[in-house]
Amino acid sequence: MDWLTTLLGLDIEELAWHQMMFRAILIFLLAMIFIRVSGMRSFGTRAPFDVVLSITIGGILSRCITGHYPFFACLGAAFTLAICHRLIAFLCSKFGFVRRAVEGQSVLLYDKDGLKSKSIVKYSIQLEDLNRALRQQGLKDWSDVLTISYEVDGKISVVKK
């Protein structure tokens, strides 16, 4: 195990270039494992819940590469976050109240009664954003729209009549 300690630079304060390169390769491989452990949705969707995991694990793993923090402690923290994400995602799939607390709910922006001005102002939605969503659905006119919603991932969805 002394060779591994030397290769990872676990017993020194300043890492050599080759130790940093080896750490980068190792962290890349371990990050792939963490993605598999946390579940496909952690990097497949862009709900705030998933973005937070991506940023946090990236920040922790970068510290493993640079050597400014204990190597195995950082790996343990990243793995713990991956497991927590998986657990919370499971709870979200089983319990609606957990999902709403973690991910939020979509917000109605338009229905048969017209635009929902309070929601549009609250979420800083511009009329051009709504028009763009209509165009993306191939709609030329508001008369073809049943509802428009602001989804938890930040996208605007249109339901046609």
Side-chain angles (χ1 to χ4, degrees), residues 9 35 45 73 82-83 87 91 104 119-120 130 139 160:
I35 289 169
T45 63
I83 294 295
L87 176 63
L91 292 174
S119 295
I120 289 172
L130 300 177
L139 300 174
K160 302 174 188 177

Side-chain angles (χ1 to χ4, degrees), residues 3-158:
W3 66 270
L4 186 60
T5 300
T6 302
L7 190 57
L8 290 173
L10 298 177
D11 56 353
I12 59 174
E13 294 219 9
E14 285 291 318
L15 296 175
W17 64 271
H18 65 279
Q19 291 166 323
M20 222 176 205
M21 287 176 55
F22 183 75
R23 281 181 174 219
I25 293 167
L26 181 62
I27 294 304
F28 175 79
L29 296 173
L30 288 171
M32 298 300 285
I33 292 169
F34 292 165
I35 289 169
R36 300 298 293 167
V37 167
S38 67
M40 293 301 292
R41 71 162 278 154
S42 62
F43 293 87
T45 63
R46 286 292 154 222
F49 171 60
D50 305 313
V51 172
V52 168
L53 176 79
S54 302
I55 293 169
T56 308
I57 284 185
I60 291 170
L61 291 179
S62 71
R63 291 183 164 122
C64 287
I65 295 171
T66 60
H68 293 289
Y69 293 88
F71 185 78
F72 292 110
C74 289
L75 285 180
F79 184 74
T80 300
L81 285 176
I83 294 295
C84 286
H85 184 274
R86 183 69 169 227
L87 176 63
I88 292 170
F90 172 77
L91 292 174
C92 286
S93 73
K94 295 295 181 189
F95 304 104
F97 74 93
V98 175
R99 183 183 49 76
R100 286 186 298 279
V102 171
E103 296 179 3
Q105 288 184 294
S106 62
V107 176
L108 188 64
L109 300 174
Y110 175 85
D111 66 7
K112 63 180 170 45
D113 297 327
L115 290 173
K116 306 298 179 191
S117 299
K118 287 183 182 180
S119 295
I120 289 172
V121 170
K122 181 178 179 180
Y123 293 99
S124 303
I125 305 293
Q126 303 298 315
L127 188 58
E128 180 54 34
D129 298 328
L130 300 177
N131 286 326
R132 182 181 316 111
L134 265 61
R135 288 191 302 274
Q136 289 173 342
Q137 291 295 316
L139 300 174
K140 296 178 183 177
D141 191 70
W142 285 76
S143 63
D144 297 328
V145 176
L146 183 62
T147 62
I148 301 176
S149 297
Y150 189 48
E151 303 297 339
V152 297
D153 63 357
K155 294 179 182 168
I156 296 174
S157 64
V158 177

